[in-house]
Amino acid sequence: MNLDDQQDRPSGADEEFVQLLIAEQHRLQHYILTLLPNRDAADNVLQETNIALWRKASDFTPGTNFSAWSRKVAYWKVQSYLRDRQREKVVFSSAMVSQLASRENAFEKKADEKSALRHCLSKVSGANLRLLYERYTEGCSIQAISSKVGKKESAIKVQLMRLRRKLLDCIERKVAQKSPGN
């Protein structure tokens, strides 16, 4: 292998960045389409975003939330696109794009929380899972559950409170793992 061949090969960090960027393409495209009504414009902004991300690759800290970082770059590319197109008749205002971006971020947060809930519920034991199912899916009263399992209502309330607390802690930890800077 000569020296020229070695220069053409990406470093391990470059390969990792490219893998993150490729994995993020669908989400970035969806995000940009949420902010721009025109598919062609969204595709152009996605391309500009990819170029900017590649140029800023050294600014990304491995182990942090690549999705959030790349969406922020995409957000500013959309803003730039809108600023450049303000002379056209139908264009979303900057305020409208900010509002749509906030909604998209809230939607993603809810999706992350639902995913975390599913993960955390998978770790709950059978009896506790049945208790949660009866109370929150079937809508059974504390009294009905108490009669069914032969425990005092106060014991059922305490058990549910502990389960909710454990689930909340688990969900918060899981969501925090996806947050920027973690």
Side-chain angles (χ1 to χ4, degrees):
M1 175 186 282
N2 66 34
L3 188 56
D4 290 334
D5 290 338
Q6 288 178 339
Q7 290 174 345
D8 292 340
R9 296 177 60 209
S11 71
D14 288 343
E15 284 183 22
E16 180 181 352
F17 185 84
V18 169
Q19 288 174 350
L20 288 169
L21 184 58
I22 290 169
E24 193 62 26
Q25 288 304 289
H26 180 71
R27 286 185 293 271
L28 271 176
Q29 184 178 40
H30 174 76
Y31 177 73
I32 293 168
L33 276 168
T34 302
L35 304 178
L36 292 174
N38 180 306
R39 177 79 173 191
D40 291 332
D43 288 344
N44 288 338
V45 170
L46 176 62
Q47 187 173 6
E48 289 297 319
T49 300
N50 285 330
I51 291 168
L53 289 169
W54 182 251
R55 287 180 179 154
K56 295 175 176 277
S58 62
D59 295 347
F60 176 70
T61 306
T64 60
N65 189 329
F66 186 82
S67 285
W69 181 72
S70 63
R71 271 193 321 277
K72 192 62 158 174
V73 172
Y75 173 82
W76 288 112
K77 284 297 175 182
V78 168
Q79 291 289 0
S80 176
Y81 172 85
L82 292 174
R83 187 182 57 247
D84 294 346
R85 305 295 181 290
Q86 279 184 339
R87 291 184 205 110
E88 294 178 11
K89 289 182 182 180
V90 181
V91 162
F92 285 170
S93 69
S94 237
M96 176 67 136
V97 169
S98 292
Q99 186 177 16
L100 289 170
S102 295
R103 286 184 181 173
E104 178 65 19
N105 289 338
F107 175 77
E108 183 169 328
K109 182 179 178 192
K110 287 289 183 197
D112 288 346
E113 289 170 350
K114 283 182 181 180
S115 174
L117 175 60
R118 280 191 296 277
H119 167 80
C120 295
L121 282 171
S122 74
K123 299 190 174 294
V124 175
S125 71
N128 285 334
L129 193 57
R130 182 71 191 157
L131 176 63
L132 290 168
Y133 178 80
E134 287 177 0
R135 179 70 176 133
Y136 298 109
T137 302
E138 293 181 357
C140 294
S141 68
I142 300 288
Q143 184 180 17
I145 296 170
S146 170
S147 297
K148 187 175 183 178
V149 297
K151 290 184 178 179
K152 292 182 179 182
E153 288 181 33
S154 60
I156 299 296
K157 287 179 183 178
V158 168
Q159 189 175 0
L160 283 168
M161 181 187 68
R162 288 179 181 158
L163 285 169
R164 286 191 306 266
R165 190 176 304 136
K166 284 182 181 180
L167 283 172
L168 179 61
D169 289 345
C170 177
I171 291 166
E172 287 175 345
R173 278 192 310 274
K174 193 75 175 159
V175 170
Q177 289 173 349
K178 291 191 78 171
S179 297
N182 290 327

